[in-house]
Amino acid sequence: MAMVMDLDFSGYSYSTTTTITTSTEGDQGCNWNDWSPVVDWEALSGDQEDFHYLIDSMMDENVVLHQPVRSIQEGYNRLSPDTMMTDEESNSTEDSKGLRLIHLLMAAAEALTGANKCRELARVILVRLKELVSPLDGTNMERLAAYFAEALEGLLDGAGGGGGGKKLLGGGKEEHHHQTDVLAAFQLLQDMSPYVKFGHFTANQAIIEAVAHDRRVHIVDYDIMEGIQWASLMQALVSRKDGPPTPHLRITALSRSGSGRRSFCTVQETGRRLTAFAASIGQPFSFHQCRLDADETFKPSSLKLVRGEALVINCMLHLPHFSYRASDSIASFLTGSKTLNPRLITLVEEEMGTTGETGFMGRFMDSLHHYSAVYDSLEAGFPMQGRARTLVERVFLGPRISGSLARIYRARGEGDVCSWGTWLAMVGFRPINISFANHCQAKLLLGLYDDGYRVEELSNNKLVLGWKSRRLLSASIWSSQDSDL
Amino acid sequence: MFHPKKPSTMNSHERPMCVQGDSGLVLTTDPKPRLRWTVELHERFVDAVTQLGGPDKATPKTIMRVMGVKGLTLYHLKSHLQKFRLGKQPHKEFNDHSLKDASSLELQRNNASSSGMMGRSMNEMQMEVNRRLHEQLEVQRHLQLRIEAQGKYMQTILEKACQTLAGENMASGNYKGMGNHHQSVPEISGMKEFGPLMNFPSLQDLNIYGGDHLELQQSIDRSSIDAFLPNNDTFLMGKKRPNPYNNSNGKGPLIWSDDLRLQELGTAASSLGSQDDPFKADHQIQIAPLSADHRGNDIDSVSDIYETKPILSGEAMADKKFDAASKLERPSPRRAAFSNERMNTVISAGGMPQGRSSPFG
């Protein structure tokens, strides 16, 4: 299965290389028009040879999930390498190794939170796990297991219920990355996968449509990061044909005290950059910051609003390069936003599994499934460049995994954890339909990447990007007004 | 630019005896003057409906307001909206079916009885299909522009980072090593992504390939973001090139600057001589060294390039003027436009302050 990564490169061949050194013949007419969104996804993504599928099948069968281990100790013994080899249920050793790793992870997670809470056992299992894997080499499964192991270890260390303000549990070693690493990883991430562009473009298209007749637009951005989302929005606003000419764009970015570990620039820098960019394309623009306190409570009154402007709330949450944000902070922001009666709210978040699992173990497995799909998708984007991927994994995904697990851990026993979209619906925001153009754009965008990606329109106001059978990232559109858009 | 297909047999009610009213509306001249939904008018209608949130949300009144066309009555809009709603459903999913529907509509129309209303609604549905195709093209075009804009913004980030790093590097002789990574040339490794920019073809080369591109590129050239790209900034639209990163399908994907940059690298690498995996020691950002079997090019050695061309000097970075770079290495002739010219030339102008660095060992 999955382990295509370790192929001997010398044997590798590209079908297209033959055109390189010859004439320009092969270059012609890669007609943009040739790619229609008329892609038959089913036929193209039939490849099941990845470890993501491995986990997928495990999830479905529920065999591993609910099988009670007699005692953790016994279960662990069962998992030790000597017995494992003979127990092999699957054909290849890599499958079994993958399974072994999963078993170990589950055992550790179980030990951490299950009925027979035994921290020491969990630690032992994790030590064992980490002997087997490394975050820098090996197969996808191995690297993924390494990050999950690290994340679990972080829970062990920081456990005792990490406080609300704690943004990142685990992965502490790698917390501070060199700025250029982060930048390089960010660029690579955009090259090898459509996650960032999908989130940004879908939101932007909805914004463009919503403010088509406005002269002033005000966007409040929850987490502006490096600001790249707004580059394409500005471009679109500057070149819009209908309605009043280029509207004045105002962006208020929330900023937090304390350094953004994974951000390679401060909010001020982003502001300066956006201002320069806007000037270069002729977009009337102004930038503001709204500082949050340590507890990140959002105070709508601290925003400066202008009469007649179309207010848009932009909430990008779980893009791969984003920092983890505490639920309270997000909730405070969205609740506060409602009082401002915005024209539009754009929300991009992780799409969780629909298994309905509510316990820690269930969500843990779901998370494993989720990130296994992400790893596979990145590999598809950069099949040969393992080091590039390990960089992206180290800089972005590892901390995301830690953050996800921390959130799941903190929410254990709390029953259902709903998505932010559901939350918005419950709080009274109104869904806004995804337009044909928006959906079409998403399909075209995905056409530029590997065929394993797919986009679905769920529930009218939501587009979901997925890899093969796993939904990963959703972009949804809301409004708080009752009147016409 | 496109015309709704009209079958050779048209029923008599559709005969185009039309006059253009004062308001620009086209009314037929047969005994019952009816509003003719021309392509343009229909486009405006669809635009209005889209803006209002879709056919289910839009009402004739609001549509009338948004469209702002004189002479258009609620009655016109009501019936048209109804037909639109009905016609929209099968075409909402943009897939093969829509095209099949179009052709089956054609068939049906040819066989249909000469009923005026029937003929008209089918015509409208067909227009709807065409409209969708047209819209899709628009979306494609916009997407290109937006991707480009992101790319340019990304460049500003990179440039700034280059400047910072170059400054640091010059200021202090020591390396800002990363915790657990030893690097022989640390900043360089950080800069690896930027390193490639040095190997872009010169302006002349770009122009050579200008003609190969789609006409779409022309529009991009004239786009308002010209400021960033002094020249042929067609960011590779429509150019089929082997994508090292995506060889699972035969498509020549649309590659944007980042990708292109990395590709450039690959080719330049070959001219540097091939090497295997130079960076075993290094866990930095390099894109994994690739095949020993260099089919020459793109596919590989992004990393090779990274290492060989280290840093850019500070003042070179400051020079934003576009320069037909003289020193650039000439990669394969296939190279087409890219958007990083400015940066590259600046970088190449900076030369290699530290000479070739190690790693090829």
Side-chain angles (χ1 to χ4, degrees):
Chain A
M1 283 207 177
M3 329 295 174
V4 211
M5 237 209 79
D6 291 336
L7 284 182
D8 177 13
F9 296 134
S10 59
Y12 204 102
S13 69
Y14 288 91
S15 55
T16 49
T17 51
T18 48
T19 65
I20 296 178
T21 47
T22 56
S23 66
T24 55
E25 209 246 14
D27 297 327
Q28 267 146 27
C30 168
N31 222 330
W32 171 251
N33 296 340
D34 282 345
W35 312 336
S36 69
V38 184
V39 175
D40 183 2
W41 292 112
E42 294 309 324
L44 291 174
S45 57
D47 180 33
Q48 296 290 348
E49 321 279 12
D50 51 344
F51 80 98
H52 161 67
Y53 179 66
L54 167 70
I55 300 188
D56 209 357
S57 57
M58 287 178 56
M59 304 263 299
D60 288 341
E61 287 162 10
N62 272 337
V63 167
V64 188
L65 214 46
H66 295 310
Q67 189 173 46
V69 175
R70 270 87 37 202
S71 80
I72 296 280
Q73 197 65 31
E74 193 180 26
Y76 178 59
N77 286 340
R78 216 159 49 93
L79 290 173
S80 69
D82 350 325
T83 57
M84 201 56 188
M85 290 309 280
T86 55
D87 264 341
E88 242 168 282
E89 44 229 314
S90 30
N91 314 335
S92 69
T93 43
E94 294 200 332
D95 267 358
S96 71
K97 178 158 195 212
L99 274 175
R100 186 195 330 168
L101 293 175
I102 297 174
H103 284 144
L104 282 174
L105 280 172
M106 290 176 62
E110 185 71 44
L112 194 55
T113 63
N116 309 330
K117 266 191 214 187
C118 184
R119 287 183 138 55
E120 280 319 304
L121 176 62
R123 207 174 280 281
V124 166
I125 300 176
L126 288 173
V127 164
R128 174 70 183 131
L129 245 184
K130 292 175 76 160
E131 280 171 18
L132 293 174
V133 297
S134 146
L136 297 176
D137 49 29
T139 65
N140 280 0
M141 182 68 230
E142 287 164 20
R143 294 196 315 280
L144 183 67
Y147 284 109
F148 267 81
E150 233 173 73
L152 284 174
E153 204 166 44
L155 290 184
L156 256 187
D157 296 334
K166 237 195 209 164
K167 291 188 197 140
L168 192 70
L169 283 183
K173 303 160 200 138
E174 309 281 13
E175 262 194 42
H176 300 285
H177 300 285
H178 198 272
Q179 194 210 37
T180 49
D181 270 2
V182 178
L183 194 48
F186 179 53
Q187 188 160 355
L188 288 169
L189 176 67
Q190 292 189 84
D191 282 349
M192 63 171 89
S193 65
Y195 299 113
V196 177
K197 287 190 171 71
F198 169 77
H200 289 171
F201 287 1
T202 307
N204 286 352
Q205 178 65 25
I207 296 175
I208 292 160
E209 288 163 7
V211 303
H213 299 288
D214 292 278
R215 297 181 185 279
R216 303 193 66 86
V217 182
H218 182 194
I219 300 181
V220 180
D221 196 344
Y222 178 70
D223 203 351
I224 198 166
M225 296 291 280
E226 72 300 316
I228 201 171
Q229 173 177 5
W230 307 121
S232 59
L233 180 74
M234 286 191 214
Q235 190 279 327
L237 290 178
V238 158
S239 53
R240 78 175 182 186
K241 309 244 172 36
D242 309 317
T246 310
H248 178 95
L249 176 66
R250 200 152 73 85
I251 294 183
T252 301
L254 300 197
S255 65
R256 292 150 183 88
S257 45
S259 62
R261 308 152 299 299
R262 242 175 316 136
S263 173
F264 42 80
C265 50
T266 62
V267 175
Q268 281 109 318
E269 278 167 18
T270 298
R272 269 182 259 127
R273 200 174 296 123
L274 284 171
T275 310
F277 186 83
S280 74
I281 64 171
Q283 166 72 50
F285 179 73
S286 57
F287 183 82
H288 310 269
Q289 272 189 61
C290 174
R291 287 179 212 280
L292 295 178
D293 314 324
D295 63 356
E296 298 203 15
T297 327
F298 175 59
K299 299 185 182 60
S301 53
S302 56
L303 284 184
K304 181 182 132 184
L305 298 176
V306 167
R307 192 197 312 257
E309 68 185 7
L311 182 64
V312 173
I313 305 288
N314 189 66
C315 197
M316 298 279 139
L317 289 181
H318 301 137
L319 291 179
H321 64 297
F322 269 49
S323 315
Y324 172 73
R325 297 285 171 213
S327 303
D328 292 340
S329 164
I330 302 171
S332 156
F333 177 66
L334 293 173
T335 320
S337 298
K338 186 150 203 292
T339 65
L340 299 170
N341 225 14
R343 170 85 60 87
L344 199 75
I345 296 116
T346 54
L347 175 74
V348 169
E349 60 173 339
E350 237 161 29
E351 182 77 2
M352 301 191 295
T354 50
T355 57
E357 291 291 340
T358 54
F360 176 78
M361 282 310 294
R363 293 192 195 123
F364 177 80
M365 288 306 293
D366 190 61
S367 187
L368 196 57
H369 192 221
H370 184 277
Y371 285 100
S372 75
V374 175
Y375 270 55
D376 271 344
S377 74
L378 294 187
E379 178 179 31
F382 266 20
M384 304 303 290
Q385 291 78 7
R387 290 231 178 86
R389 281 182 283 135
T390 53
L391 178 73
V392 172
E393 290 160 12
R394 178 166 58 84
V395 174
F396 294 139
L397 296 184
R400 277 227 65 83
I401 290 171
S402 300
S404 277
L405 287 198
R407 184 163 45 119
I408 297 174
Y409 185 74
R410 239 180 276 130
R412 70 191 187 284
E414 263 175 30
D416 210 13
V417 170
C418 70
S419 68
W420 288 108
T422 316
W423 190 89
L424 284 180
M426 290 190 317
V427 169
F429 287 93
R430 199 166 56 100
I432 300 290
N433 286 352
I434 299 278
S435 69
F436 171 78
N438 211 340
H439 195 172
C440 189
Q441 176 180 253
K443 284 185 181 165
L444 289 172
L445 177 68
L446 294 194
L448 305 177
Y449 293 89
D450 189 273
D451 296 325
Y453 290 106
R454 45 179 67 210
V455 63
E456 311 169 68
E457 192 173 324
L458 292 186
S459 68
N460 257 19
N461 73 327
K462 185 155 99 160
L463 281 185
V464 179
L465 170 66
W467 171 258
K468 307 255 170 109
S469 58
R470 173 84 198 191
R471 296 179 184 142
L472 294 174
L473 197 68
S474 82
S476 55
I477 321 289
W478 310 82
S479 172
S480 83
Q481 290 162 340
D482 296 299
S483 57
D484 254 354
L485 243 192
Chain B
M1 145 178 163
F2 69 93
H3 307 282
K5 295 193 206 91
K6 287 197 160 34
S8 46
T9 63
M10 276 202 296
N11 59 52
S12 55
H13 294 259
E14 293 294 292
R15 211 176 310 131
M17 303 278 289
C18 305
V19 291
Q20 194 108 16
D22 291 341
S23 56
L25 291 180
V26 179
L27 300 166
T28 55
T29 55
D30 43 10
K32 240 199 307 190
R34 266 185 240 146
L35 169 65
R36 193 167 184 84
W37 280 91
T38 62
V39 171
E40 295 90 316
L41 191 60
H42 184 69
E43 266 186 51
R44 286 183 72 166
F45 171 83
V46 177
D47 272 338
V49 168
T50 316
Q51 283 170 22
L52 293 166
D56 299 313
K57 287 202 113 58
T59 66
K61 198 166 182 181
T62 56
I63 298 175
M64 186 169 76
R65 200 177 359 121
V66 170
M67 279 178 77
V69 174
K70 282 213 191 102
L72 208 50
T73 67
L74 281 180
Y75 175 74
H76 290 136
L77 287 170
K78 251 196 259 183
S79 69
H80 196 69
L81 180 63
Q82 184 176 39
K83 291 196 197 111
F84 184 72
R85 279 181 182 154
L86 291 173
K88 189 183 188 327
Q89 292 321 315
H91 303 132
K92 187 154 164 82
E93 269 312 307
F94 205 100
N95 51 27
D96 267 329
H97 298 290
S98 66
L99 300 175
K100 285 193 213 133
D101 282 345
S103 48
S104 68
L105 276 181
E106 282 264 41
L107 274 173
Q108 281 178 35
R109 192 194 328 203
N110 287 340
N111 298 334
S113 64
S114 54
S115 141
M117 285 309 288
M118 269 271 273
R120 182 153 46 158
S121 65
M122 285 191 195
N123 193 29
E124 282 172 359
M125 275 156 94
Q126 174 140 53
M127 273 168 46
E128 175 62 22
V129 168
N130 286 329
R131 168 96 185 93
R132 279 285 182 252
L133 283 169
H134 185 58
E135 204 174 329
Q136 186 198 345
L137 291 178
E138 283 292 302
V139 172
Q140 276 179 352
R141 194 170 67 84
H142 290 144
L143 181 60
Q144 280 179 343
L145 295 174
R146 290 168 197 181
I147 292 178
E148 239 185 52
Q150 302 248 126
K152 283 163 191 161
Y153 187 80
M154 205 51 211
Q155 272 185 57
T156 69
I157 300 181
L158 295 177
E159 283 171 9
K160 183 75 202 314
C162 282
Q163 282 174 358
T164 318
L165 278 173
E168 286 169 358
N169 196 44
M170 306 234 306
S172 67
N174 61 333
Y175 297 141
K176 281 195 170 104
M178 288 280 306
N180 36 356
H181 302 280
H182 49 264
Q183 324 159 22
S184 40
V185 202
E187 269 80 48
I188 298 178
S189 56
M191 300 284 297
K192 281 179 189 141
E193 305 310 302
F194 326 149
L197 304 174
M198 305 194 205
N199 295 311
F200 282 148
S202 64
L203 178 58
Q204 286 82 6
D205 300 324
L206 293 182
N207 283 333
I208 293 172
Y209 301 103
D212 287 346
H213 297 182
L214 292 181
E215 65 271 8
L216 272 175
Q217 294 183 332
Q218 267 51 344
S219 64
I220 297 172
D221 285 349
R222 291 186 215 95
S223 78
S224 56
I225 21 191
D226 257 327
F228 268 69
L229 302 183
N231 263 315
N232 204 354
D233 29 337
T234 52
F235 222 97
L236 55 100
M237 300 297 153
K239 202 76 162 164
K240 186 178 238 148
R241 62 185 68 255
N243 180 358
Y245 312 130
N246 182 9
N247 61 318
S248 53
N249 51 3
K251 296 195 289 199
L254 190 80
I255 308 173
W256 38 94
S257 71
D258 308 329
D259 223 337
L260 184 55
R261 208 181 307 157
L262 296 174
Q263 274 196 0
E264 303 291 342
L265 290 206
T267 315
S270 59
S271 50
L272 291 176
S274 70
Q275 25 261 337
D276 272 60
D277 176 359
F279 319 132
K280 299 229 161 51
D282 242 310
H283 289 291
Q284 267 339 64
I285 344 185
Q286 27 228 321
I287 309 280
L290 339 168
S291 77
D293 177 21
H294 281 218
R295 306 235 172 181
N297 331 322
D298 312 0
I299 337 182
D300 333 76
S301 31
V302 201
S303 46
D304 296 333
I305 304 302
Y306 291 134
E307 288 292 281
T308 55
K309 304 273 179 163
I311 312 210
L312 349 163
S313 56
E315 80 271 4
M317 284 309 302
D319 173 11
K320 304 269 188 203
K321 229 174 11 135
F322 176 80
D323 216 350
S326 40
K327 305 190 197 175
L328 291 173
E329 268 178 350
R330 185 66 229 296
S332 96
R334 270 185 336 96
R335 282 310 159 217
F338 63 103
S339 63
N340 304 316
E341 285 178 52
R342 180 174 52 159
M343 196 159 170
N344 308 320
T345 55
V346 163
I347 293 173
S348 72
M352 303 209 291
Q354 296 174 3
R356 233 176 229 204
S357 59
S358 64
F360 292 87

